[in-house]
Amino acid sequence: MIFKHLFTPKWKHPKLSIRLGAVDKLNISDENDAKILDDLAFSDDAGEVRKKALNKLNNIALWYKAFKNDQSKSIKDLAEQHVSKAVLNSGDNLPADIKAEYIETCNKNSLLEKLALEDKCLSLRIKLLKRLAKVNLIETAFKQGDETFQLAIFDLVEQYKLLKICKSKAIGNVSTKIEHSLTQQKLAKEMPLVVKKEVKLILAKLNALREKADYELVKTQSEILKRNWQALELKWLTEEQLDTANVKYLTLETKLEIVLAKLENEHNEKLALIASKVKAKAALEHFNGLINKIDEQLTLSLLTPSEESTAELTVQLNNAQQELSDYTPKLTEHVSLQKSFDNFSKQIKTLPELISSSEAFNEELAKFKNLSVPTNVTQYDESLSAFVQWQKRVKSLLLKMPASIKHTNSIAFNILITQWKKETQDLKLGLENAKKQSHKKLRDLQRLLEQGRYNIAFGVFKGMDEIFQTLTPSYQTHLVNDYEQIQNALAKAQEWQQYIAEPKRDELISELKELISQECGDAKARSGQVKLFRKRWNELGRINSEDAKLKANEFDLLLEQAFAPCRIFFAEQEAQRQTHLIERKLIIEKMIALNSLPTESITEFKTLETEYNKLSKTWRQAGSVDSQVYQVLLSDYKNAEKLIVTLIKAKHKYNAELKTALLEKAVLLTSSEDIALACEQLKQLQEQWKNIGFSGNKAENDLWQAFRKCNDDIFSQRETVKQQQEKQISAQSIELEAGLNALNIKFSQANSAQLHALLKEVNAFYTTVPYSFKGIKSQINYLSENIVSKISHLENEAKSEQYTALFDSLVNDYIVPISWLKAVKGIKLSREQLTVRMEILAKIETPACDAKLKMDEQIAMLSEKMLGEQNQLNDLLEKWLNVSEFSKQDISLVHRVKPIFTT
């Protein structure tokens, strides 16, 4: 057994370590060694040997074979990494059949997506896009592709409804094709609805035409609707919709043709009827014209009668009657026309009698010139009687005349009547007024007599009698009974008054003597008593007898003696009135001087208004003066204050308008939804109100009350709103705190997968919190920061685990995991240079052996930075991983880079 191992090749040795050493010594360039390695790669029991042999051979076909057949998962994964990397890089050493077969069986979407975006084979990319069927992937591929590729996947883009999204990145003809396709899609979506609507409308209109009775309208509109139907784009309808529409159209068209034929017959009948009516109307107008012509000639014959005109009229009438009887068909108005002709015939027969009546009428009219027009009241009754008799005779003659001539003669008669009335109008008006006045005064006298007011009745009767005597006998006739009755009553009253008055006059004289004997203590009272004595004396009636006249003289002397003490008092009153007169004149002078005061500024105007009010008050309080003098003074005062009053009133009116405008604004503010803003604006209005002057007593009070009410309403609303807001804020605060507590509970229970959704929920909740809730907003921010911090911590841990797994794979297997593999083009730096650059960016010390390399890279990075190029750790790591395949010699570099990303 010992010798057996001595002569067995080391690559077949039972010990694993010896076989691994033997694999290292085999030369791949040697054909026999290559066969041995090939045999070991697929037949050795140890996975380490198979893996080392495959690495030594490093043939993509063998790697693919190992991927398909090897049972070791690690070898299978390693082989897949080599194959997938080769597929991604599309190297020349990769057989097409292996690539196609691998892609066909591959289920790693990340790899397939990279191939769909980056592979050189156009057909493969299209195949993968169809296979993956990812919308985002198709969109990205379209946007990255050239015009040829975009045309190739156009159907795919259209299938997944990406035309609008990809439109902006389309190149050349693809853009035009997309525009056309989008237009067709839009039409395909819109046109069926439009065409269906138009079909429905046309069919509805055709159906509606069947109900109409106007032939011309139905015919015209049906032709229009037929043309509209032929112009429809029915291609947009489905075959079923098209068949249904055509069937409905043909059915309606057939029914409409039947209706149209019926309407045509009716239309023709109506035309014939209209023609007959037009003909009858023309005939009627002709016969009416004959009637009018005969009527005119008959009237002319009555005015200028002769045998020739009568004979001519007879001929015309006979011809017209013959023409009427010969006309066929008979007119509806035939009877009335014949009646008119018969009337003309009767009138012609009575022409001689009518002529004599006309002559008598004209003679009677001529007599109007003989009627005398009254020039005074005494002539009026006689002239009026003659005119009335003449009027009756003329009217009796008019009654015998026919209507045609009667109208003309009546006009002439009425003109003469109007002329006579116009000429007697003034006299008649005066008599009518006198009659009315007399009648009224007689009624007044009757009332006074019933009341026993005889003294007044005597005066009224005297005035009435003067008017009554101006009336003519005919006007007096209606009043004479009342006149005589009142005249007799007053005569009796006068006799009775004289009988009663004598004792009372003696009594008054005695009372007056007694008054004179008394001392005068009150001049005004004595003056009133004197006036009362005079009044009582006058009430006793007229003085008719000599004895009464003597008593009247005695009364006058005694009355003068009784009034003597009053004269001294009134003299003193007169002196006071003179003083008051001087005072009032002085007030007027001051008022005139006040007109010259300036009024430009508010202060000056207030001064003027104050001075005017003082003078006005002084005028009202000034003493009395004689009535006539006062009227003159008052006129002067009014003239003096007129300009000032006008100015003050205008100012008051202007101020009232300003305050009214402010009031209107305040009223609008009462209905404002923003009460806070309304309050601020109202305060501004209050300040403006204060700066406006007085606006007149009534206006000022009314405006202020209304303005104050608006203030009260708005501030009341503010208090109400404030209370409601406080309640809402309290309720909202409780609700928000409950929501925040719920989010805090979710955070305490959330796992890593739920944190992102929770963060969105917290941010959304933050936007719903009003600005005024600053405390709650602060707590939400704190919660959000905690969530972000936890997410960041978890992501960092996950990232650190990814980096640890990456570097462990590099150290143990020298293999870059598929997720880190990328087809990075244009890498000009070596792995050593990239390592040093990452150390520089991470500020990690570089080994002393690479000091010169570090200096060179620092200079290069500085130069690139000046050119606008930036070095980023992640970009450098991506290049570092994909610059070349890893080997044992790269382990030191791995150990240098690992702390940069895992610490």
Side-chain angles (χ1 to χ4, degrees), residues 22-49:
V23 171
D24 286 334
K25 293 178 181 179
L26 290 172
N27 187 1
I28 194 170
S29 302
D30 186 271
E31 186 177 349
N32 290 326
D33 287 355
K35 286 182 180 180
I36 293 169
L37 287 169
D38 184 271
D39 183 55
L40 287 172
F42 296 101
S43 59
D44 196 275
D45 295 333
E48 291 86 346
V49 175

Side-chain angles (χ1 to χ4, degrees), residues 597-843:
L597 287 180
T599 58
E600 284 76 10
S601 67
I602 296 174
T603 306
E604 290 172 345
F605 184 83
K606 284 185 177 179
T607 303
L608 172 68
E609 191 172 9
T610 302
E611 290 300 321
Y612 168 76
N613 290 334
K614 288 179 181 179
L615 288 176
S616 180
K617 183 178 180 182
T618 305
W619 176 268
R620 291 193 302 272
Q621 293 176 349
S624 62
V625 295
D626 288 339
S627 177
Q628 293 180 352
V629 175
Y630 178 75
Q631 293 302 322
V632 175
L633 289 173
L634 183 62
S635 177
D636 293 341
Y637 177 78
K638 291 294 182 184
N639 291 333
E641 73 166 2
K642 186 175 182 181
L643 181 60
I644 299 171
V645 171
T646 303
L647 186 64
I648 291 173
K649 284 184 177 179
K651 184 66 174 177
H652 287 174
K653 184 179 179 182
Y654 175 69
N655 291 341
E657 290 173 353
L658 292 178
K659 290 185 177 180
T660 301
L662 293 181
L663 176 60
E664 289 173 354
K665 292 180 181 178
V667 171
L668 289 175
L669 290 177
T670 58
S671 58
S672 174
E673 294 181 359
D674 191 344
I675 299 301
L677 179 62
C679 289
E680 291 299 321
Q681 293 176 348
L682 188 61
K683 290 177 182 178
Q684 296 174 7
L685 294 181
Q686 289 173 349
E687 291 300 321
Q688 295 175 32
W689 187 282
K690 292 177 183 177
N691 296 329
I692 298 171
F694 190 65
S695 55
N697 291 326
K698 186 177 185 306
E700 181 71 23
N701 183 59
D702 293 345
L703 289 170
W704 171 246
Q705 293 301 327
F707 185 69
R708 184 176 177 181
K709 185 178 183 302
C710 293
N711 280 259
D712 294 342
D713 290 346
I714 292 172
F715 288 123
S716 175
Q717 289 179 36
R718 182 182 67 177
E719 289 303 316
T720 303
V721 170
K722 187 177 179 182
Q723 293 173 3
Q724 291 175 350
Q725 286 177 344
E726 288 175 352
K727 290 181 181 178
Q728 290 175 357
I729 289 170
S730 177
Q732 196 171 8
S733 177
I734 294 170
E735 184 180 351
L736 292 173
E737 286 177 357
L740 180 60
N741 291 335
L743 291 174
N744 279 317
I745 294 169
K746 283 186 179 180
F747 175 60
S748 63
Q749 299 173 351
N751 55 36
S752 58
Q754 297 170 332
L755 286 174
H756 285 284
L758 180 60
L759 181 61
K760 288 182 180 179
E761 187 178 351
V762 170
N763 291 335
F765 180 66
Y766 181 86
T767 60
T768 62
V769 178
Y771 179 75
S772 57
F773 293 88
K774 294 182 180 179
I776 294 177
K777 276 186 171 286
S778 176
Q779 293 179 51
I780 296 172
N781 283 331
Y782 180 72
L783 176 60
S784 178
E785 289 170 1
N786 288 340
I787 295 172
V788 170
S789 175
K790 189 171 182 179
I791 290 172
S792 177
H793 176 71
L794 292 173
E795 287 178 347
N796 289 336
E797 284 184 350
K799 204 168 188 182
S800 179
E801 290 175 359
Q802 289 177 0
Y803 283 127
T804 301
L806 168 66
F807 291 113
D808 288 346
S809 176
L810 292 175
V811 170
N812 297 328
D813 300 325
Y814 317 130
I815 296 298
V816 179
I818 293 176
S819 59
W820 291 91
L821 287 174
K822 288 187 180 178
V824 182
K825 297 179 182 179
I827 303 175
K828 298 178 181 179
L829 301 174
S830 66
R831 185 168 279 127
E832 288 78 6
Q833 289 175 304
L834 292 167
T835 302
V836 170
R837 288 197 175 199
M838 284 190 283
E839 287 174 338
I840 292 169
L841 289 176
K843 297 180 182 180

Side-chain angles (χ1 to χ4, degrees), residues 249-264:
Y249 175 75
L250 292 173
T251 303
L252 286 174
E253 188 179 34
T254 304
K255 291 180 179 179
L256 188 60
E257 286 176 356
I258 295 170
V259 171
L260 198 59
K262 182 181 178 182
L263 289 176
E264 186 177 9

Side-chain angles (χ1 to χ4, degrees), residues 15 62 152 184 253 323 350 408 457 537 682 689 828 836 894:
K15 283 190 177 182
L62 296 176
Q184 291 300 312
E253 188 179 34
E323 189 176 349
T350 59
T408 305
W537 183 270
L682 188 61
W689 187 282
K828 298 178 181 179
V836 170
V894 173

Side-chain angles (χ1 to χ4, degrees), residues 134-148:
K134 288 188 176 181
V135 174
N136 293 338
L137 185 65
I138 296 169
E139 179 187 345
T140 305
F142 182 89
K143 291 179 178 179
Q144 292 178 354
D146 55 13
E147 184 178 356
T148 304

Side-chain angles (χ1 to χ4, degrees), residues 373-415:
V373 178
T375 55
N376 53 55
V377 174
T378 56
Q379 300 173 357
Y380 184 78
D381 281 355
E382 185 180 352
S383 299
L384 179 63
S385 177
F387 174 74
V388 170
Q389 293 301 319
W390 172 81
Q391 196 175 11
K392 288 179 179 179
R393 292 195 299 271
V394 174
K395 284 183 178 180
S396 65
L397 291 171
L398 279 173
L399 291 174
K400 300 175 182 179
M401 294 181 181
S404 57
I405 191 172
K406 182 179 181 180
H407 176 69
T408 305
N409 290 334
S410 294
I411 292 172
F413 174 56
N414 289 331
I415 289 171

